[in-house]
Each structure stands twice: as C-alpha cells, then as structure tokens.
Amino acid sequence: MKIVKQIVFTLFALMFLNAGLNKFFNYMPVPKLTPEQMEAFGAFMKIKWLMPLLATMETTGSILVIIPKTRALGALVLFPIMTGILLHHFTMDPSGLPMVLPLAAVLLWIILDNRKKYALLLQ
C-alpha cells in the first residue's frame, strides 16, 4: 500500500508541477474559453503578480508533496489552489469536473493521511 500511495501522490504532484511550469513557460495550448472565462482570465492578467505567484505556489507545493517528509506542508500549500480550481469548475466550467474531482480526492487523502502533523495547528 505504501508504494501505491507514493505513486498516486507523485502523479498528483506531477500534475501540479506541470501546471505551474506551464504558467512560466507557456508550452501547452490553451483550450477555447467562454466569454465569462475570458473575462476572468483577463482580470487575472491585469494583476501582474498573480500568475507568477500561482505558478510558484503550484511548483513549490508539488515538489513538497513528492518528498514524503514535507508532504503535509505541500498539501497545505496546494489546498487553496485546489479550492479555487474546484470553485472555477463548479461555477464556470462543469465539463472539467471529471478531471478535477479525483485530484481533489487525492489532496484530501494526503491531508487525512497527515492529520497527526496538523494537530498542533488546530489546538
């Protein structure tokens, strides 16, 4: 089970690493966006520091998740990003939910797997 868990968590982290690096290097094509999505994306682009921050956090969080000792911290870094992704897909792009829901489930699994490490934060 430990090997399966490491493989699943690593694949999860590689998805976020790819997304973060794509924000820096723009090597993947952007799918056709709806007018609402274009408006939201335009607002993100007006805030010059937002995309580099998001890319940095995705990249850093994914690297932390790959390393078992820092996995709990990586999950905390990726949690707000995953929350934003889920909210986006629930409100603007429901067609992406089949891809996002398993990723959210893996993140929840990582958090539950490391719940003892979070105990001090909740006291």
Side-chain angles (χ1 to χ4, degrees):
M1 181 66 171
K2 190 175 181 180
I3 293 172
V4 171
K5 186 169 59 169
Q6 179 66 34
I7 290 169
V8 170
F9 293 171
T10 301
L11 290 174
F12 167 82
L14 289 174
M15 293 286 287
F16 274 92
L17 183 62
N18 182 45
L21 291 176
N22 184 53
K23 286 177 184 62
F24 283 124
F25 301 115
N26 298 315
Y27 55 85
M28 291 186 339
V30 178
K32 186 170 175 154
L33 301 175
T34 65
E36 292 171 332
Q37 290 173 320
M38 288 293 288
E39 185 179 343
F41 189 69
F44 289 147
M45 295 312 289
K46 282 185 182 179
I47 305 170
K48 299 281 186 215
W49 54 266
L50 187 59
M51 282 303 187
L53 174 66
L54 185 60
T56 302
M57 298 311 291
E58 284 179 344
T59 305
T60 304
S62 65
I63 291 169
L64 290 171
V65 167
I66 291 172
I67 304 166
K69 195 170 198 162
T70 60
R71 187 169 288 146
L73 179 59
L76 289 180
V77 170
L78 293 176
F79 184 77
I81 297 168
M82 179 56 77
T83 302
I85 293 169
L86 279 169
L87 288 172
H88 170 78
H89 284 286
F90 275 121
T91 58
M92 291 187 164
D93 187 19
S95 66
L97 283 174
M99 176 72 168
V100 173
L101 290 176
L103 290 174
V106 172
L107 182 60
L108 184 61
W109 182 13
I110 294 170
I111 290 170
L112 291 175
D113 193 49
N114 291 289
R115 65 185 170 274
K116 291 178 185 174
K117 293 180 181 178
Y118 303 129
L120 293 173
L121 295 173
L122 302 174
Q123 288 182 351

